[in-house]
Amino acid sequence: MRSKSMFDGSWSFHKGEIRIPYAVKGGMTGGITDASSLKEGEWLDIAFNDKGMGEQQLEWSSVNLPHDWCVEQQYVQDESLGSRDGSHGYLPGGIGYYRKTFELPADAAGSKWTVRFDGVSGTSTVWVNGHLIGSHHGGYIGFSYDLSDVLRYGEEGRNVILVKVDATECEGWWYEGCGIYRHVWLENTDRLHVAEYGTYVTTPEVTKEQAMVNIRTRIRNDYTEGLPVSLRTVIYDGAGLQVCVKMEDAYADWYTETELEQIFEVEQPMLWCPESPYLYKAESTVIYEGKELDRYETVFGIRSIRFDADEGFFLNEEPLLIKGTCNHQDFAGVGVALPDSLIEYKLRLLKEMGSNAYRSAHHPPTPELLDMCDRVGMLVMDENRKLDSSPGGLSQLKRMLYRDRNHPCVIIWSLENEEVLEGTVTGARILKTLADTTRRIDPTRPTSAAMNHGWNENGYNDAVEITGYNYGHREHLNIDIRDHEQYPERLMIGSECASYTATRGIYEDDPVRGYCSEYGTNIPSWGCTPQQAWSDLVNNRFLTGVFMWTGFDYRGEPTPYLWPCVNSHFGLMDTCGFPKDSYYYMQAVWKDEPIVHLLPHWNWPGSEGKRIEVRVFSNTDTVELSLNGKSLGEQQVDKTGYLSWEVVYEPGELKAVGKRGGHVIAEKAVVTAGQPYQICLYPDRLEGQADGLDTIPVRVAILDEQGHIVPAADNEIRFEVTGAGSLLGVGNGNPSSHEPDKSAIRRAFNGWCLALIQTSPAAGSIKVKAVSMGLAAAEVVLEAAPGEPLFPASGTII
Ligand code: GAL
């Protein structure tokens, strides 16, 4: 029966090039055929020395995946790092090697063994037991290799897998990281099995009363004779109860795939939507001569989607405004190597902001992100890396489509972003090939392209169903709105909006330190305020949705400044997920619950008697502002804008009170804080899974004696983590910080920093202590609760 084991544990890592002798490079086993007798660690050296390549001083360190070595390096002021100035966050790429040894039992021989990499930076090359298995280019889509022939089973010896990661070249203009930064899996199946990504579940007819569920299953027969097989498919509901079952007999020809189609009727289906992301599961069992040889599960949702040129998007025939953010994949403390729990954390922060859609800019996301979007109810614009119809480009696109087409969360395939060929004849041909390839593999979702020019030239946009507008509003040109008048039949979407540059907790532009004011006084020419991006959509439903650039700040692309900035400033949250002021604007317009937020903070020593602009974001009817108990007036809330008061500064409490129908329903106050006095720890959870991967973000605040946040505090914090966990990384959201993220020390930035605590594989308590000179220390105890360890111990027989 099929097994899928996480293959992330106990790798060795070597940073830098290794000269690999031709015999090994060429796939021959010369020189290492006797490797079965070698002890762990000896294989490479022996192989090299035998080939006369001389001694190589290799330093291997132990790592678990996912791993990003780029983030472990020092920042270098070198504009040439990256594809554009500063685009890679002033961290160098490079070459690294990963190696892992493992054993398999003798009876594992004869079945199929596949290694699957979900994402490896740049160009990777894999050798197993000295055999060159393959090279893959493209760090954003997974690949897999059948290892069955070259593995060693039982007494044949230990297996060695070696992976070269060449992340010297950049694929994009953002921080891309370096390493095996997503999961690796080892899969075992019978020779008769469901093919890779071998099911395709669609829901061609959906009503509240009944849904038609169509499941196509490809069965792969790797025996050397044709076999009569049966396929049993069972649909289970979210509670695990059987909903319907179908059995189909077929003849599976050998060394090929056979596709079967089964059609189900699900009565009274529970429809998938962001508020209620109900999931079903299809279990496909392959049976030969009464014996179950393979069982494969596909999670799916029942839902319908429709796009309309006037009214935008409909989910299950209900209109739905797409409240999206674009996101790159990195996070503080970890670079691009995010444990699943951090991906989930990021999605939760976006959900809490009121967002219902995620654009994975500018490449396919990690597969787990889509599983989570299915579960939490987040719509996804799934994006292909680039406009490329070469064999390599098409192969990346196809892998994304086959991998992702069963996810109910995915509603649009985005085929490219801002390529120079947009609007050209050649570009149109390439885009059409990508779109046709997509329609062939999944006709149930529209294709789109996230364009920033050439919308109306050479039929480029006609190659896709939905024309994406990146910054259609730029410089008040309202390109998208004008295009709608001219092409009323065109389906449109605000594929990228805002690019509002702001630094958390900063209220004055500071080109020297590289900070942008939260008032938005230094936003790029193509950008706009979140208020404009949102009101454009509300006033023009044909725009279907917005995807704000971006949900989170990301490393690299430090617009508008270069060094000392190493991060972007576009996020509604910073790199740690701390909200900027605009986050609360989005909350106010995206959520139903009453929100009142005011800015700036209220610590302006030396500004007594001067006027300060106070802004309030709210979705109540009215807001009254008061300073030290004295009313500064009540204003009617502008549903897509913000309120503003000129306030003569005096220290104390500034308070905004939101009312609906005359009743107070929300309020928020900022208080002039005193000197930094104490540290306070806010763990996101008190309990994690003791699996060696689960990561709990702990927010760290600097408070005064009364417990108020000190808005400009930048005290240096030292973390001591003991017990059943360790410190995975730190961050503070300061776009110009050159402190290492892999460290036990971090300064606060404007009152906050973040510590990521990762559980160990053994259950127990984790004590997290934060200390700083002159401040009262803080301590919290987290629990790593027993669970299945994700990593088998080194060399474990699987
Ligand atoms: C867009 C681009 C993004 C990012 C953004 C910055 O043009 O698609 O990747 O560069 O601008 O504003």
Side-chain angles (χ1 to χ4, degrees):
M1 210 48 109
R2 174 183 294 263
S3 73
K4 182 179 175 191
S5 317
M6 188 175 264
F7 213 47
D8 285 359
S10 306
W11 287 75
S12 304
F13 170 66
H14 169 78
K15 184 155 165 263
E17 181 60 295
I18 300 177
R19 279 173 288 123
I20 296 189
Y22 176 76
V24 181
K25 268 191 177 158
M28 295 158 62
T29 51
I32 54 165
T33 41
D34 60 345
S36 57
S37 62
L38 300 179
K39 288 199 224 85
E40 184 178 356
E42 286 180 344
W43 173 73
L44 271 174
D45 296 338
I46 297 280
F48 296 157
N49 293 341
D50 279 356
K51 292 286 115 190
M53 296 299 289
E55 297 284 338
Q56 291 192 69
Q57 292 301 314
L58 304 180
E59 272 179 38
W60 294 95
S61 54
S62 298
V63 295
N64 285 333
L65 308 179
H67 180 238
D68 175 2
W69 84 74
C70 193
V71 77
E72 296 168 359
Q73 306 175 110
Q74 301 271 322
Y75 297 96
V76 199
Q77 187 179 1
D78 177 353
E79 306 298 346
S80 70
L81 297 174
S83 54
R84 290 184 196 160
D85 286 359
S87 65
H88 204 248
Y90 296 97
L91 288 171
I95 292 175
Y97 281 78
Y98 293 83
R99 190 167 61 108
K100 178 180 166 83
T101 60
F102 59 103
E103 289 174 9
L104 293 171
D107 64 4
S111 56
K112 278 285 169 195
W113 290 90
T114 305
V115 67
R116 170 168 301 114
F117 293 84
D118 282 345
V120 182
S121 310
T123 301
S124 59
T125 308
V126 175
W127 294 263
V128 172
N129 296 336
H131 299 263
L132 174 64
I133 302 296
S135 269
H136 175 86
H137 176 69
Y140 296 106
I141 193 71
F143 53 95
S144 57
Y145 298 122
D146 178 353
L147 304 182
S148 316
D149 290 348
V150 300
L151 288 174
R152 302 192 182 107
Y153 305 94
E155 296 299 306
E156 292 171 27
R158 186 184 289 267
N159 295 286
V160 185
I161 181 166
L162 175 73
V163 182
K164 172 179 179 177
V165 180
D166 186 345
T168 319
E169 300 296 328
C170 290
E171 292 185 62
W173 52 93
W174 54 89
Y175 173 80
E176 303 190 273
C178 307
I180 307 181
Y181 74 93
R182 292 180 180 168
H183 294 307
V184 182
W185 306 92
L186 189 64
E187 280 187 14
N188 181 223
T189 58
D190 190 271
R191 286 183 167 260
L192 187 67
H193 59 271
V194 175
E196 183 179 44
Y197 307 125
T199 54
Y200 181 37
V201 183
T202 56
T203 51
E205 283 167 31
V206 177
T207 64
K208 287 200 173 92
E209 291 71 42
Q210 198 189 55
M212 180 193 281
V213 177
N214 182 306
I215 306 186
R216 279 167 25 198
T217 309
R218 285 180 288 118
I219 297 176
R220 167 130 208 123
N221 177 3
D222 279 324
Y223 288 101
T224 44
E225 56 180 328
L227 299 172
V229 296
S230 306
L231 172 70
R232 185 180 65 226
T233 303
V234 184
I235 293 181
Y236 294 99
D237 67 14
L241 299 174
Q242 184 171 318
V243 176
C244 35
V245 55
K246 284 249 153 93
M247 191 85 166
E248 192 82 19
D249 295 330
Y251 174 77
D253 210 350
W254 63 285
Y255 264 43
T256 190
E257 292 174 3
T258 306
E259 186 172 270
L260 285 95
E261 184 173 30
Q262 293 167 311
I263 296 169
F264 300 81
E265 260 110 47
V266 176
E267 305 297 331
Q268 308 293 325
M270 299 288 289
L271 303 188
W272 186 95
C273 63
E275 299 73 42
S276 166
Y278 194 92
L279 294 172
Y280 289 86
K281 185 173 77 182
E283 183 190 74
S284 321
T285 307
V286 179
I287 303 163
Y288 169 67
E289 289 191 338
K291 205 167 157 228
E292 298 182 357
L293 296 186
D294 190 21
R295 190 168 295 157
Y296 183 88
E297 291 182 354
T298 312
V299 173
F300 68 97
I302 299 179
R303 51 111 180 103
S304 68
I305 56 173
R306 180 164 68 82
F307 291 84
D308 182 274
D310 285 318
E311 293 169 69
F313 178 58
F314 289 77
L315 181 67
N316 302 323
E317 288 307 320
E318 301 280 343
L320 185 68
L321 278 180
I322 295 181
K323 305 166 176 175
T325 62
C326 306
N327 292 289
H328 284 317
Q329 52 185 352
D330 59 307
F331 195 66
V334 291
V336 291
L338 275 71
D340 295 355
S341 43
L342 276 189
I343 301 177
E344 202 155 351
Y345 181 63
K346 286 179 74 176
L347 286 175
R348 183 151 52 74
L349 296 178
L350 292 170
K351 279 283 271 192
E352 283 168 8
M353 183 170 65
S355 173
N356 63 14
Y358 186 102
R359 174 173 169 226
S360 65
H362 300 302
H363 53 77
T366 198
E368 287 72 26
L369 181 134
L370 296 180
D371 294 341
M372 291 173 203
C373 288
D374 283 347
R375 282 206 305 273
V376 304
M378 182 71 94
L379 305 165
V380 175
M381 182 189 277
D382 200 352
E383 192 153 290
N384 181 42
R385 175 59 215 99
K386 57 181 187 221
L387 184 71
D388 178 2
S389 60
S390 71
L394 283 177
S395 149
Q396 291 197 27
L397 171 66
K398 286 180 188 168
R399 281 200 78 88
M400 172 181 94
L401 298 167
Y402 283 118
R403 191 193 72 166
D404 298 347
R405 64 184 180 167
N406 290 326
H407 287 282
C409 64
V410 176
I411 55 163
I412 297 174
W413 300 116
S414 168
L415 301 182
E416 64 95 359
N417 172 77
E418 296 199 352
E419 295 272 352
V420 281
L421 289 185
E422 282 171 357
T424 64
V425 175
T426 310
R429 274 200 298 263
I430 299 175
L431 187 62
K432 183 168 182 319
T433 298
L434 299 185
D436 289 341
T437 302
T438 305
R439 290 177 193 118
R440 183 78 222 167
I441 293 173
D442 177 38
T444 72
R445 298 168 177 91
T447 57
S448 186
M451 304 173 59
N452 84 345
H453 63 282
W455 293 278
N456 305 314
E457 287 153 37
N458 293 308
Y460 184 85
N461 71 309
D462 295 332
V464 289
E465 279 88 17
I466 303 180
T467 304
Y469 285 82
N470 284 12
Y471 312 99
H473 44 55
R474 76 185 65 158
E475 284 145 7
H476 304 288
L477 292 174
N478 290 334
I479 302 163
D480 39 12
I481 296 168
R482 287 200 325 229
D483 279 1
H484 174 69
E485 281 159 20
Q486 207 178 340
Y487 307 100
E489 304 296 308
R490 184 179 286 183
L491 299 181
M492 295 182 159
I493 195 157
S495 41
E496 202 171 304
C497 321
S499 267
Y500 185 81
T501 35
T503 310
R504 176 178 58 76
I506 294 290
Y507 296 97
E508 200 174 340
D509 294 324
D510 183 341
V512 175
R513 290 192 296 168
Y515 299 152
C516 297
S517 163
E518 294 234 44
Y519 286 114
T521 40
N522 193 2
I523 63 173
S525 59
W526 62 92
C528 74
T529 61
Q531 288 77 24
Q532 189 189 332
W534 182 245
S535 44
D536 276 358
L537 172 63
V538 173
N539 299 327
N540 303 285
R541 290 293 289 249
F542 56 83
L543 288 177
T544 305
V546 289
F547 283 92
M548 306 292 285
W549 189 266
T550 44
F552 297 86
D553 280 350
Y554 49 94
R555 288 169 173 277
E557 218 181 22
T559 325
Y561 309 113
L562 294 173
W563 185 270
C565 263
V566 296
N567 281 1
S568 77
H569 297 66
F570 299 112
L572 295 158
M573 289 173 264
D574 68 16
T575 51
C576 296
F578 290 122
K580 301 183 191 173
D581 289 312
S582 312
Y583 167 100
Y584 297 99
Y585 168 75
M586 301 320 310
Q587 263 198 338
V589 292
W590 281 356
K591 290 186 102 164
D592 291 333
E593 67 190 62
I595 308 282
V596 172
H597 175 77
L598 74 167
L599 65 134
H601 60 72
W602 212 238
N603 268 58
W604 301 102
S607 293
E608 286 76 5
K610 293 194 185 138
R611 289 180 174 276
I612 292 181
E613 186 197 351
V614 172
R615 287 187 190 170
V616 172
F617 304 137
S618 183
N619 53 9
T620 60
D621 288 348
T622 60
V623 172
E624 183 176 9
L625 190 71
S626 63
L627 178 58
N628 294 328
K630 218 165 59 227
S631 176
L632 300 172
E634 189 160 2
Q635 295 187 27
Q636 205 68 34
V637 169
D638 169 355
K639 292 294 176 203
T640 54
Y642 61 80
L643 306 179
S644 174
W645 280 262
E646 289 288 317
V647 179
V648 177
Y649 179 69
E650 66 179 44
E653 186 191 59
L654 182 72
K655 190 172 180 181
V657 174
K659 294 181 199 158
R660 233 177 246 163
H663 300 290
V664 176
I665 50 166
E667 58 180 50
K668 197 155 189 177
V670 285
V671 174
T672 309
Q675 290 304 308
Y677 178 81
Q678 52 187 320
I679 305 172
C680 189
L681 300 179
Y682 301 97
D684 181 53
R685 292 173 278 147
L686 287 174
E687 195 178 292
Q689 279 276 313
D691 58 12
L693 192 64
D694 196 4
T695 300
I696 303 176
V698 178
R699 289 182 167 188
V700 183
I702 311 293
L703 309 181
D704 69 4
E705 200 170 354
Q706 276 66 46
H708 300 127
I709 295 280
V710 183
D714 65 351
N715 306 64
E716 187 175 86
I717 314 286
R718 188 161 48 80
F719 297 99
E720 295 164 12
V721 182
T722 49
S726 57
L727 187 63
L728 179 63
V730 292
N732 64 9
N734 177 354
S736 301
S737 170
H738 298 162
E739 298 162 279
D741 277 22
K742 298 291 182 186
S743 166
I745 296 172
R746 189 66 172 219
R747 281 193 173 282
F749 176 62
N750 291 334
W752 294 94
C753 65
L754 184 75
L756 302 175
I757 309 299
Q758 189 163 51
T759 61
S760 67
S765 300
I766 313 170
K767 197 161 90 181
V768 182
K769 194 169 175 195
V771 298
S772 180
M773 188 97 80
L775 298 184
E779 195 176 294
V780 67
V781 178
L782 310 173
E783 284 304 317
E788 281 290 293
L790 291 174
F791 306 141
S794 172
T796 304
I797 294 173
I798 294 173

